[in-house]
């Protein structure tokens, strides 16, 4: 089982997303356990204050170190294991991708720290193992990145998706974007499903999908395409 602990100032943010769809099914099947931990519960202030003015001046407020340190220590006592990753969601972190999702899905315990306000006290970074970002843009807090990373990781936990092939054939696996998908009706508003997909010839369908994925990746994500180790057959398809 994958255990996920999310340290946040707004646990209610996650209640609805975690009660539907694939995440809910993973929880119901005991494949994943998610615990939401309110950082405010570890505040030493009678008003549950978790932020303060930055030393040296500047705009905004900074999250205090004590509640974060102590909430992490609370989790570490619960899991009683050194097999854990403590992840800070931060715009300064490593850009998240499918390879990182795959790596995290193999862990036993993941602890996500959701920052807020103008940031967190720098000393918190002495207790983290990873710093992850969704991209080069700013969000209100770490809750949205934590939700996105959690969803991406849970999909890769064995048994969560219906078919073992599902995560393998999705975009970004092996640096390829996914091939085009179609369903019924066969013709809609004059747009027809490619004949090869209706042929029943599985070998031709496999070749069509590989070629389509290669072309789509080359056109839309040349940065990913450069990382693909093309086979001789791939080169022939592209020609």
């Amino acid at each position: 089982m994958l255990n996920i602990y999310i340290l946040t100032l707004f646990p209610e943010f996650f209640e609805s997303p975690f009660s539907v769809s694939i995440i809910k099914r993973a929880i119901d099947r005991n494949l994943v356990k998610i615990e939401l931990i309110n950082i405010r519960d570890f505040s030493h202030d009678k008003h549950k204050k978790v932020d303060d003015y930055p030393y040296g001046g500047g705009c905004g407020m900074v999250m205090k170190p004590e509640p974060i340190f102590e909430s992490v220590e609370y989790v570490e006592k619960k899991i009683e294991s050194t097999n854990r990753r403590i992840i800070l969601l931060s715009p300064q972190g490593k850009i998240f991708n499918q390879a990182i999702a795959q790596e995290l899905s193999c862990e036993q315990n993941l602890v996500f720290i959701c920052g807020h306000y103008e940031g967190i006290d720098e000393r918190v970074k002495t207790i983290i193992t990873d710093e992850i970002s969704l991209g080069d843009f700013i969000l209100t807090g770490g809750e949205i990145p934590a939700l996105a990373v959690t969803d991406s990781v849970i999909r890769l936990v064995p048994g969560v998706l219906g078919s073992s092939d599902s995560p393998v054939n999705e975009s970004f696996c092996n640096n390829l974007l996914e091939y085009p998908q179609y369903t019924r009706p066969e013709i809609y508003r004059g747009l027809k499903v490619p004949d090869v997909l209706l042929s029943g010839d599985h070998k031709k369908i496999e070749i069509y999908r590989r070629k389509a994925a290669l072309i789509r990746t080359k056109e839309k994500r040349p940065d990913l395409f450069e990382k693909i180790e093309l086979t001789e057959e791939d080169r022939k398809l592209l020609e």
Side-chain angles (χ1 to χ4, degrees), residues 146-170:
L147 178 59
V149 173
T150 298
D151 182 272
S152 179
V153 169
I154 287 177
R155 293 172 57 82
L156 298 173
V157 173
V160 169
L161 296 183
S163 169
S164 59
D165 291 334
S166 294
V168 177
N169 293 323
E170 292 181 329

Side-chain angles (χ1 to χ4, degrees), residues 51-199:
D51 61 329
D52 210 329
Y53 295 103
Y55 279 124
C59 62
M61 305 289 278
V62 175
M63 287 183 69
K64 294 166 63 66
E66 311 102 291
I68 300 177
F69 268 78
E70 293 179 24
S71 58
V72 169
E73 289 166 356
Y74 166 79
V75 171
E76 291 186 315
K77 288 178 182 178
K78 287 175 68 75
I79 61 180
E80 296 181 347
S81 171
T82 57
N83 186 353
R84 83 285 186 271
R85 300 276 283 272
I86 302 174
I87 301 165
L88 174 65
L89 288 313
S90 161
Q92 299 180 22
K94 185 176 182 180
I95 300 296
F96 185 68
N97 58 29
Q98 190 70 9
I100 296 175
Q102 183 66 62
E103 179 184 336
L104 295 179
S105 71
C106 299
E107 297 289 339
Q108 289 182 340
N109 301 286
L110 299 178
V111 183
F112 292 107
I113 301 174
C114 302
H116 221 75
Y117 308 120
E118 284 300 309
I120 65 169
D121 188 291
E122 187 71 14
R123 289 167 287 190
V124 170
K125 295 183 180 179
T126 63
I127 61 171
I128 67 172
T129 60
D130 303 85
E131 195 169 359
I132 289 177
S133 169
L134 287 191
D136 297 333
F137 54 91
I138 305 299
L139 294 168
T140 304
E143 283 74 21
I144 291 176
L147 178 59
V149 173
T150 298
D151 182 272
S152 179
V153 169
I154 287 177
R155 293 172 57 82
L156 298 173
V157 173
V160 169
L161 296 183
S163 169
S164 59
D165 291 334
S166 294
V168 177
N169 293 323
E170 292 181 329
S171 289
F172 305 114
C173 289
N174 301 317
N175 294 312
L176 272 177
L177 299 183
E178 190 175 11
Y179 49 76
Q181 297 275 22
Y182 297 88
T183 188
R184 294 168 178 78
E186 181 181 332
I187 301 175
Y188 181 69
R189 298 194 178 187
L191 302 172
K192 189 177 184 304
V193 175
D195 290 335
V196 65
L197 298 179
L198 308 173
S199 68

Side-chain angles (χ1 to χ4, degrees), residues 1-61:
M1 176 187 289
L2 172 61
N3 298 296
I4 297 177
Y5 303 88
I6 300 178
L7 281 51
T8 173
L9 298 177
F10 303 99
E12 63 274 15
F13 176 90
F14 299 92
E15 291 173 0
S16 178
F18 289 167
S19 64
V20 295
S21 191
I22 289 175
I23 295 181
K24 182 179 185 301
R25 293 201 298 271
I27 294 172
D28 291 344
R29 294 174 186 169
N30 293 319
L31 298 172
V32 175
K33 177 184 175 183
I34 301 177
E35 184 172 343
L36 302 174
I37 295 167
N38 195 333
I39 295 173
R40 293 185 191 278
D41 292 342
F42 298 87
S43 171
H44 296 180
D45 184 270
K46 66 179 181 179
H47 301 295
K48 298 298 181 183
K49 185 179 179 182
V50 293
D51 61 329
D52 210 329
Y53 295 103
Y55 279 124
C59 62
M61 305 289 278

Side-chain angles (χ1 to χ4, degrees), residues 195-208:
D195 290 335
V196 65
L197 298 179
L198 308 173
S199 68
D201 189 323
H202 296 294
K203 182 62 176 177
K204 287 184 179 179
I205 292 173
E206 181 182 344
I207 292 172
Y208 161 80

